Amino acid sequence: QGRLVESGGGSVQTGGSLKLSCAASIFTNIFTRCGVGWYRQAPGKERELVSYISATNATRYEDSAKGRFTISRDNAKTTFYLQMNNLKTDDTAVYYCAACPVTPPFTLWGQGTQVTVAS
């Protein structure tokens, strides 16, 4: 069973940027066949899928993330990323990375990282 370890959360001002990383401790040949994604959960709200990237690099974004967030993956490093630009206070949440198998629901989850955007 693999593990996902997140990094890159923190506190920024409105309009700032953060880049989240998620390192997967699984074999490369398995990682390359997996879809991966980022979820977030704000206080009092349900967890939602923010972005997803398939094994063939097809991407999907939640509406509020379109044009501001970019998901990417580096299969050689078994790591994937979420670049977040022009952050808004509504982006404040705990962000979770998730992976495998091909499409959601995912079976591997990170521990979560806090992103706080202050006005």
Side-chain angles (χ1 to χ4, degrees):
Q1 188 75 8
R3 287 181 63 221
L4 301 182
V5 179
E6 303 170 11
S7 59
S11 297
V12 295
Q13 297 289 318
T14 302
S17 297
L18 285 173
K19 186 174 184 178
L20 305 182
S21 300
C22 184
S25 60
I26 57 177
F27 291 114
T28 301
N29 63 340
I30 295 175
F31 181 82
T32 56
R33 294 196 295 268
C34 286
V36 298
W38 291 92
Y39 289 75
R40 67 185 177 189
Q41 187 166 21
K45 295 186 177 180
E46 294 187 354
R47 187 175 298 186
E48 64 176 354
L49 177 63
V50 177
S51 185
Y52 161 81
I53 184 168
S54 73
T56 58
N57 288 323
T59 58
R60 188 170 81 214
Y61 296 93
E62 187 265 335
D63 285 346
S64 70
K66 291 177 182 176
R68 301 188 298 124
F69 294 5
T70 303
I71 191 170
S72 61
R73 60 190 298 163
D74 185 334
N75 289 338
K77 295 182 179 179
T78 63
T79 299
F80 56 103
Y81 310 92
L82 185 68
Q83 176 68 48
M84 304 185 293
N85 297 327
N86 191 22
L87 283 161
K88 304 176 181 181
T89 55
D90 286 348
D91 296 318
T92 295
V94 177
Y95 284 70
Y96 299 88
C97 62
C100 303
V102 176
T103 59
F106 293 118
T107 58
L108 297 179
W109 288 84
Q111 78 281 7
T113 187
Q114 177 70 45
V115 170
T116 302
V117 185
S119 59

